[in-house]
Amino acid sequence: MSGVTMEANSILPILKKKLAFLSGGKDRRSGLILTIPLNSDQTSMEELGATLDYLLSIPSDKCKARGFTVIVDGRRSQWNIVKTVVLMLQNVIPAEVSLVCVVKPDEFWDKKVTHFCFWKEKDRLGFEVILVSANKLTRYIEPCQLTDDFGGSLDYDHSDWLNKRLVFEKFTKESTSLLDELTIINDSDKSASVDKDKSTDGALLPSFDPETVLQTGHELLSELQQRRFNGSEGGGGGQAAPAWCPMEEELLAQPQVTKLLDSLREQYTKYQELCRQRNKRAQLDEIHTKVMQVVNWLQGPGSELLKTQQTIGDSMRAAQALQQKHEEIESQHSEWFAVYVELNQQIAALLSAGEEEEVAELKALQQQLSDVCYSQASQLETRQNVLQAAHAFHGTTQELSQQLDGLLGMLCADVSPADGASIQQNLKLLEEKLQTVEAGLSSLRQKGTLVLEQMCGQASWSLEEAESPPGEQQDNVQHVQAVMEEMELRKQRCEDMVDVRRLKMLQMVQLFKCEEDALQAVEWLSELLDALLKTHVRLGDDSQETRTMLDKHKKFVDVAQSTYDYGRQLLQATVVLCQSLRCTTRSSGDTLPRLNRVWKQFTVSADERQQRLELALNFHTAAERVLQQERVEVASLDEVDSTGRTLLDRLTLPVIFPDGSEQFFGSPGDTAATAEGVRERLLLIEERRLQLQEARLLNNEEGEEEEAVNGLEGRLDVIGEELSEKEEQDEEEKEAEHQDEDSERATQDR
């Protein structure tokens, strides 16, 4: 097929007017049918000539050699225009025209045909011209090769043909240009591979998108294969379509499109491989560049930043400032670590589909990048651990210092508690503070050891780098050790002071305890005295009971003696403790006088109680003896009677204390009851005496007996009256004594 000299796009407005067209129909000689539809409007011969030039440039030379049958449709035009068109054909395509069929209108052009006979001009024109009606056109051309304008069955859509033609020409132009460019690019890669430094990136960008051009070509080929190009799918109108396609040999562009597509696919495949190789190389170069950027920064500025950060500070505030500075350094490193992660992913993706040479290069880059990043990350982590340990160490140091200051302040304060309970509480608080200090010091040792270990790790990698002075590390170690030693000394001094304070406080606790126990001894002794005076009143109804009570009284006195001795010992210990504590403001106070006073009162009361019991024992023993004997001497009875009366008199007497105060045993009722028992025994003695006198009277005269009996009875009556008066007098005296004693106690209490 000959090359296209004119493009449809350049005369698209003219072609849209449908001044002439190739319908795809053929005459009986297999020549193409060229149709020129004239209308009533004035037809531009220039535009018609351009249309004919374009249409005649489409068929191949072989097709042109068969000649054209031109149908000039003059039914809606004037004769002079038809004549002009026919004559123009002589100038445009005289050699290719075989026959010109002028379709005349139903009403002929008057007699103008007589003025110009085309058949006479055949030799001069070079082709035959005939005038024919539309319905008689089938004499020269088969109906299936005529369009429906002339009563034929050939389908033709001028707009569809024009669109397809535009697509075909566009594809032909773009594919041809793209093939040339791809060929140049692919050929240039061979020479570029020799000079690797030469950049050919600009040649890798063709003017058209190969994918788009290929897609357009495939769509066009599909249209051609479906025989829709140029509107030629065969005849219609009820007639059977011919066995041959009118466009297969002359106008069908399928072979050209197929050839262009095959060539384009071949060059595009090479181009894709070239681009893939170059993209891969570009990726490798880009990755290598980025890797070296990361490595150079980490080994350069990054390492320099870490080298400048070696100190640990001397306080929490300084450690916090260093941590903040380290966080800024970590933030700068994080940006490069993010690049490292991205590069590592890219390298991993390339390794999965790379060639052996590329894999080795990528692995080397990956290993180099990983080694540098991990080394720098390890240094950052070590430095962070050092700063965290230093911050914790300084915090513990500050806390321990505050605890030692508090403990020292407590030790320097004077101890003046009010009682033993407050001393115990202060001692417990002191022990708790000491335990807190010991726990804080233990924590400080642990954290100090951790800081030293972390700094050793930091020193190891800092020495591996470019020469960094070890002076800062040595200063850090010495500072940590000095702080720990200082805290040890402060704790030891406080501990020594705590030992002294503990001993003093324990002595004070013992002092208060002795004082409290001494007071308790006084209270106990007072209670014993009170019990002695109030409850120890009875003297027993017989000698056995009295003897038992006498034994119990001695034991009671022994208990009181032990209580008194215990109180004396406690007061002596109090004096010793006050001297040890140099507590001149404290003494036994009135405890010792009270103890002595109560003890003297107790001894006087106990002696009186013992004398009464002994007197009662003698009385009951003598009374029981004379009452049991059959023969009793009057002297014995008189002795018993005298003892009983002495006992009764003793019961009425109060106990006189050393300070001159008096106190009766028990209540008046208790005394009366005791005296009543003694009187009953005296009555028995008198009855015994009477019995003896009666026995004697039996031997005397009755007068003497009656006189004696009357005398005895009178004597008994007198004794009874005396005893009654004595009891009343004793009761009154005891009540008076109790009142005096109560008033005296109230005065003493005040």
Side-chain angles (χ1 to χ4, degrees), residues 399-538:
E399 183 179 359
L400 179 59
S401 180
Q402 294 173 354
Q403 293 171 355
L404 288 169
D405 291 341
L407 180 59
L408 183 61
M410 185 176 179
L411 292 171
C412 293
D414 292 334
V415 181
S416 57
D419 52 25
S422 59
I423 294 180
Q424 290 284 3
Q425 185 177 1
N426 290 337
L427 183 59
K428 181 180 179 182
L429 181 61
L430 187 65
E431 295 291 348
E432 290 177 353
K433 284 186 173 293
L434 182 59
Q435 291 177 359
T436 303
V437 168
E438 290 177 351
L441 184 59
S442 177
S443 177
L444 182 67
R445 294 193 194 100
Q446 295 177 356
K447 293 178 181 178
T449 303
L450 180 61
V451 171
L452 294 176
E453 292 176 353
Q454 296 289 350
M455 286 192 297
C456 290
Q458 180 178 351
S460 62
W461 61 255
S462 62
L463 291 175
E464 292 175 0
E465 300 291 335
E467 300 178 357
S468 63
E472 291 184 352
Q473 292 294 337
Q474 188 65 27
D475 293 342
N476 293 335
V477 172
Q478 292 177 356
H479 172 70
V480 172
Q481 292 175 346
V483 169
M484 294 174 64
E485 292 174 359
E486 179 186 359
M487 291 301 167
E488 288 277 1
L489 292 175
R490 290 182 61 186
K491 183 258 182 184
Q492 186 62 44
R493 288 195 297 268
C494 287
E495 194 172 23
D496 295 340
M497 296 176 67
V498 166
D499 292 338
V500 176
R501 178 57 60 89
R502 184 189 296 112
L503 178 59
K504 183 177 181 180
M505 295 179 77
L506 289 175
Q507 288 178 342
M508 294 186 70
V509 170
Q510 190 175 5
L511 173 61
F512 279 108
K513 181 63 175 174
C514 289
E515 291 179 348
E516 292 176 1
D517 291 347
L519 291 173
Q520 185 65 47
V522 174
E523 294 295 329
W524 288 343
L525 197 57
S526 298
E527 291 175 359
L528 292 174
L529 175 60
D530 189 62
L532 176 62
L533 292 174
K534 291 183 178 181
T535 62
H536 294 206
V537 180
R538 293 182 68 252

Side-chain angles (χ1 to χ4, degrees), residues 103-143:
V103 180
K104 62 183 180 178
D106 293 337
E107 296 181 358
F108 200 59
W109 298 295
D110 296 332
K111 297 180 180 180
K112 293 178 181 180
V113 70
T114 59
H115 299 287
F116 187 82
C117 295
F118 289 110
W119 63 275
K120 293 181 181 181
E121 299 292 332
K122 179 179 180 181
D123 295 335
R124 186 172 62 86
L125 294 175
F127 48 79
E128 181 182 0
V129 180
I130 61 175
L131 296 175
V132 61
S133 301
N135 55 3
K136 294 182 180 180
L137 192 58
T138 55
R139 295 179 181 179
Y140 305 98
I141 302 172
E142 295 294 332

